[in-house]
Amino acid sequence: MFIIKIRGDFNSTHRKVSTLAKRRSTIFSTLVFSRFSLLPRTMPARPLPFPYTLVSRLRQFPYTMHIKQNAFVKYYLIGIGLSFPLFWQFHKLANSPANKKAWEAVLKRDAGKKVKWPPRCCARS
């Protein structure tokens, strides 16, 4: 039997764990999700009168309220989520070895030509 301290100070309750797998998962979830999480599962019992540090300000910020009630924030996050795979595919295609070889061929072909920029149709007078 192992005794693992779950949360709180040294006077808090302890949990007895019988198997090694339960012990590892408990330690991992305790360290990762309850100690270092920026988004708490529940509000603290006694919040500070004013959040002085950056981490405490980030923890107390009402993210869910802004996402639910502000259409701009909601659809901005949805748009990022939907467009990320598309731009990732563009990136993969643009940086593929075949495209790099084709681009080198274009640069070699146009190396001796003098390019007038901007073209006549776009030039300002």
Side-chain angles (χ1 to χ4, degrees):
M1 285 279 183
F2 297 102
I3 297 177
I4 298 172
K5 183 175 161 302
I6 299 299
R7 297 183 90 172
D9 57 1
F10 290 105
N11 296 327
S12 66
T13 59
H14 293 74
R15 176 185 287 179
K16 292 183 179 179
V17 179
S18 60
T19 63
L20 187 60
K22 285 184 181 178
R23 179 173 157 244
R24 284 184 183 161
S25 67
T26 305
I27 290 172
F28 178 76
S29 64
T30 301
L31 289 177
V32 173
F33 296 116
S34 65
R35 298 269 185 209
F36 303 113
S37 177
L38 288 177
L39 301 173
R41 293 183 189 157
T42 59
M43 289 300 291
R46 184 175 163 232
L48 291 171
F50 181 78
Y52 290 102
T53 64
L54 179 66
V55 174
S56 63
R57 289 179 190 186
L58 290 174
R59 284 184 65 128
Q60 292 183 12
F61 189 77
Y63 295 105
T64 53
M65 182 200 70
H66 284 284
I67 291 171
K68 286 179 182 176
Q69 294 183 1
N70 192 345
F72 178 76
V73 173
K74 180 195 244 179
Y75 293 117
Y76 186 77
L77 294 174
I78 290 172
I80 288 174
L82 292 176
S83 63
F84 180 75
L86 182 69
F87 288 122
W88 187 31
Q89 287 294 86
F90 289 157
H91 173 76
K92 282 174 39 178
L93 291 172
N95 292 314
S96 66
N99 189 40
K100 287 183 179 180
K101 287 180 185 176
W103 187 246
E104 285 176 7
V106 168
L107 290 177
K108 285 180 185 177
R109 184 190 70 203
D110 294 342
K113 295 180 182 178
K114 186 175 182 182
V115 179
K116 216 174 182 184
W117 190 257
R120 190 184 316 163
C121 64
C122 301
R124 294 182 180 182
S125 43

